């Protein structure tokens, strides 16, 4: 049977991508489905069965959680990435990893097209497609929510439900939540629906990955995280002695702890790449703990100017991630710099988790640049007070010149 | 009686500056004392009496709390200032205001010298003296802790106590705390002593301006802060209806709330300007709340690129403040930019205070740049999905060129 | 007669915009024409007559040269604007001024549409339209070169010529040059045609605003430019005594001098905003001289850190200009900072013009921060050598700590 | 014979360091001398003989020209380093290389001390000593011009001459020039003396490494430089066919060409690290040509955002070089980023040298990112004009929101 070509569709098992799957087949494409396990809660087998029933000629389920941790999460931790001072980039970090695997399969399976169910107003369409095009400039992208024939036909949920009925696509009978979510190993996002009014407080039952701080344990829990070259290599629970050392297990364990203590919720109005402001709520339990400890460790073993420089690159890397520019020359350059900056970031940070907050409680490093004698106000420590005098006098030279000039002018 | 000249000494009433006062008189100077009320807890009258008794020819007590709020605290809030990602700069912000008043009095009273009790290893000597020299390039600074005759004579607390006894200087009989502090309206700092080991967890009884989160109320408290041009103009307690509108009162009230809920503690190893790493603990109750709310408001009413630009200037301003460069051309330029950036930052932010954390709960602004229709995933809202397609295609041009080039090379 | 509405077309009198004019009328629009005099060589009266003959219902010719100088050229000089290290932004600087006047007329005349003849691959479409939309978010833009009905019909110059013949549009009989140009008071650009091969050396007869350096006078010419707050207020020819003080006259005179001495040619491959690389040649005679002198003057009267800060903002402003973001929040913020930075940039710079180069020959400033005594290696000048010792020792503290750490590691 | 220890003195053979040598011996040190051949014109054998005669126990003459080129010159070219927009950093680049060799010898020879003849007001003392301390935190530095016993004794040239006579130190009978110079392979600097008045035009006979442009050949010369990974690997004279490929020979040849055509003179007032403004004149013949060609090549084969990022790092690297921070964590990080950015910077640039100027005449690259079809205004080239429409519309979203908000406010 002749077709328009072969499409690899990023499939979630939900109503939208199921309708897209059916519609693409209807348009004359052969469609294969791709599901990425990035740590979300999902019945992958059921979804696979559903896709095959709708007419997918193949379904690929890929566990890319470990890729996710190693490829983007840990580098983001090394650079203390944060977008607009608050957002830890959980969705942004997942996209390049999902897209890379999708392109790998598309190439292997000889698909001329890749497709996704992202809307035309969001960041994710940009992140996926910039990755697709960067990985294969010849790839053709089908984005149904930007195709008039599609979006004019499916103007609301009822149109999708009707089409699903027509195509015998099973639909979960759970009531739709008044917001939409995107979940992965690193975080969950909430947006749209009732959240579109930025003055509405998120309802307590919305949050999913963390308990409400008010309901978190009344007793703090103490942990220690050990880093090697800026990468966490061990988490130890100082109260019960539990230890994790595998990167993925360690991360999952931090999520468990963060969840228990209500750590990592934020609620913001952010700036999407396409210039629209958008309100989002996020839970990033393990990531919040990890980032705080990494920042703290750098206090003791990172040179001041190295830190200043890396911090400015971290701001840029956060934008690169948010906007979907992972597969670019600029990201490669920043990565090289960040890697260099992390060579000596070894050590252990202790912290306390309690009702939504992470509190530092001490840190040590074999590569410490902290010198207790020098730091001490009580010890001379190889330090000559006259040096400070000279330092200040020299630093004041240009300030004095500026004031003298202003005084000349006002006389 | 002939003297070496007149000195205006920044006096605290404590052992160090009392000994410095006596020593300067002994050296042949006429000494006047200056005490700045910047919100610290202090018995100013007792200190004045003590100074006069030791031999000060005048004592000036100045309430500069309002100056402090208006001159440096609010501009720092407008720029979301933070040093090394964590520290809110409470000490740094106070220094220019204290120094300016000291220089004003020195000029008025005809003092050729100003003096202070800062050590030779810290940031404060730099901050004070850069301010002094910038305000009057001809001023002469006496920094006893950098003068060999002084620091060789007073090598420890016992030398100071012996001198105090010799000079009949009354000494408070309270046991010295195993750390030193600096307190003002904005924060309190703790450093030195047992804190010099960066792996030692600060003891619970150290903290002074906030209750231990574990002992904070079990019920959250809800407030709303209203800003005009980035400046807080109203704080309302949404639970009990209490309202403050005066800048100073409003700030004091936020401190009260922050204290009650254990908000604003940090513990870091930071990089001093003179290149030494140092461990500091800080409590900044009101400032922590205020900054979080200001950051949040900008989400809704600040343009994305304006924010990015101002954020980079905020990093620089934080360094300027930390390093003591308030009275400089570079600060004036940044201030002009920050002022411009805050023209439209009006609106109200709601937040919840609970056991150490500040949680955003909604925001409104008359100058909102948030457009619910545009933002909504469900509403077309004057937005054409094809525009996104073009946007992405154009953004991918250079990415494709880069990949094509790399592919050519590897073939 | 009913029409689709009223269009204000940016009209040049050339073949392209004449055909656009006729085509828009054919489509049912009422079309008015707008011609901006920004210093290009043009027979405005002939063009006006031509437009009216084709069917324009009105033609507005506006001399905006003075606006051009004051609004964008001088602020760009104050910020030493330069794109990618080489290009002085002559086209970019003109666009906001042209667009603002076009929107002013469109509003006054009740036009619902504005139109231009820019192609779909260049920067100018972006610059014009971002300005249009920023000045009036409701304006509708007609860009024929992006409308399939138009660009499919006119696929080459012969199609345009045939249409012109059909519509009785007079066509200049000069042979088309093998490149295209854009000229204004500040510069002329050359691109396309034979220049599309980046390895082709521009032919000597291409250049228009400057003589070939090889044919420039064998004797240098000496001038002095005086600035006030970073703005040139006087140019004096030190050889013949000629003086100009009016901003526009002064700029025209510098162009004359630059032309005579072959100053200001460049040939580059640059990065367009839409991600395409493009080869351009430019002549900016007066601007090259002015910028060099402004940079030089700042050496003597601008504080070091002020300069560093302004320089980083100048890079950003250059991108803003190049990409067409003049009417934005980010530009307003930078402008505020740049204005503040220029308060004290007063003084006179001498330079020599000779066969393509501008050579500095001395500078003075009433606000000089240069202190001959301090600078001199031979004079103590209130400077204590021991201060430098302290300065260096303090600066070395963190370097020593870094080396000590690395040594510990390698042992 | 017991001494105070062994000193390795950076020795030039001139009056200053000869007197320092004698004085150090007089003070009881054993002194060895170190002379670095970094391309300056010098009679090393005569200097060695002189040092031995004065009393040096050893003299080490090291040809570090190749180190100089590879270690700092080429990396600076790769980053297009330039200080304050004008100065190519010739002295700054030499210092780390000279210091590293001095420390290597000091270690090998067991010297506890290193010494130099830099004054207390300049940049070089800082550059040398920061390098010394970074390379060995325990090294002790003797800087006679900052030691009161030395500088009080030698207050002028006549004191030095008298001391030389007393110590039988031979003195060259040439009249001292009214400025001082520092020369190496990369450049020569002129400062002090008559140049201290920043309004004095440097006399034509001052310049040394280049002919006066007015006296340069009347016929231009054409060359082509080929780069590999941003490093020049070939210079070809397109007029006479001469070719150089060795890094050092190539650099020397470019100097010869630059000298012949009067290329690379500047005259500036710059900001020294210690906050003093200083007037300097510099000739950098080969470096000026090389930098211009490297900048040009990047136009064709460097990604836009990679360039923007690297450019900002280049500014920082220039400051690092100027201020003497070569042996630091921050420099290592930047180097890693710059190296990554240069991976694909291969190709050949043609330029013309003529009476002081370097003019680009074309460039090619096997890794070109320039796409003639895409760039061309005449060819559709896989480009859809509607994409630009979408691009612009999306880019205008936030601009429209900002204007709408301002309009709301003013109504």
């Amino acid at each position: 049977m002749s077709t328009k070509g072969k499409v690899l569709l990023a499939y979630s098992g939900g109503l939208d991508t199921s309708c897209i799957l059916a519609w693409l087949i209807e348009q004359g494409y052969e469609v294969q489905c791709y599901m990425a396990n990035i740590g979300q809660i999902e019945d992958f087998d059921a979804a696979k069965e559903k896709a095959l029933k709708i007419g997918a000629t193949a379904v690929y389920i890929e566990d890319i959680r470990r890729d996710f941790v190693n490829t983007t999460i840990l580098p983001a931790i090394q650079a203390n990435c944060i977008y607009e001072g608050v957002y830890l980039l959980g969705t942004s970090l997942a996209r390049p990893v999902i897209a890379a695997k999708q392109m790998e399969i598309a190439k292997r399976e000889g698909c001329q097209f890749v497709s996704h169910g992202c809307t035309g107003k969001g960041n994710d369409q940009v992140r996926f497609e910039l990755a697709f095009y960067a990985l294969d400039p010849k790839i053709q992208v089908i984005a149904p929510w930007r195709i008039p024939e599609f979006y004019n036909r499916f103007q609301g949920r009822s149109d999708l439900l009707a089409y699903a009925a027509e195509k015998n696509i099973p639909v979960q009978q759970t009531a739709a939540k008044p917001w939409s979510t995107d979940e992965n190993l690193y975080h969950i996002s909430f947006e749209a629906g009732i959240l579109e009014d930025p003055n509405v407080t998120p309802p307590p039952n919305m949050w999913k990955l963390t308990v409400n701080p008010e309901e978190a344990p009344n007793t703090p829990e103490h942990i220690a995280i050990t880093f090697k070259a800026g990468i966490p290599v061990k988490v130890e629970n100082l109260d019960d002695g539990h230890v994790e050392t595998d990167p993925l297990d360690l991360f999952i364990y931090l999520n468990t702890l963060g969840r228990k203590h209500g750590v990592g919720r934020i609620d913001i109005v952010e700036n999407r790449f396409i210039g629209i402001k958008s309100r989002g709520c996020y839970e990033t339990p393990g990531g919040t703990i990890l980032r705080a400890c990494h920042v703290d460790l750098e206090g003791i073993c990172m040179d001041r100017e190295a830190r200043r420089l890396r911090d400015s690159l971290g701001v840029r890397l956060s934008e690169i991630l948010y906007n979907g520019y992972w597969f670019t020359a600029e990201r490669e350059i920043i990565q090289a710099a960040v890697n260099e900056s992390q060579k000596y970031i070894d050590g252990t940070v202790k912290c306390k988790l309690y009702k939504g907050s992470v509190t530092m409680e001490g840190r040590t490093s074999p590569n410490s640049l902290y010198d207790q004698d020098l730091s001490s106000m009580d010890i001379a420590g190889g330090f000559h007070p006259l040096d400070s005098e000279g330092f200040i006098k020299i630093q004041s030279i240009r300030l004095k010149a500026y004031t003298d000039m202003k005084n000349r002018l006002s006389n």
Side-chain angles (χ1 to χ4, degrees), chain A residues 35 42-52 59 61:
Chain A
M35 299 189 74
E42 195 99 59
D43 183 341
F44 291 101
D45 291 334
K48 179 174 185 172
E49 198 182 338
K50 186 172 173 180
L52 292 170
V59 178
I61 297 170

Side-chain angles (χ1 to χ4, degrees), chain A residues 20 28 71-72 86 102 104 115 176 210 278 284 320 341 344 367 396:
Chain A
I20 288 173
T71 308
T72 55
V86 187
Q102 185 167 359
E104 181 191 320
S115 183
T210 61
S278 134
T284 315
I320 285 172
S341 78
Y344 303 118
N367 307 342
S396 73

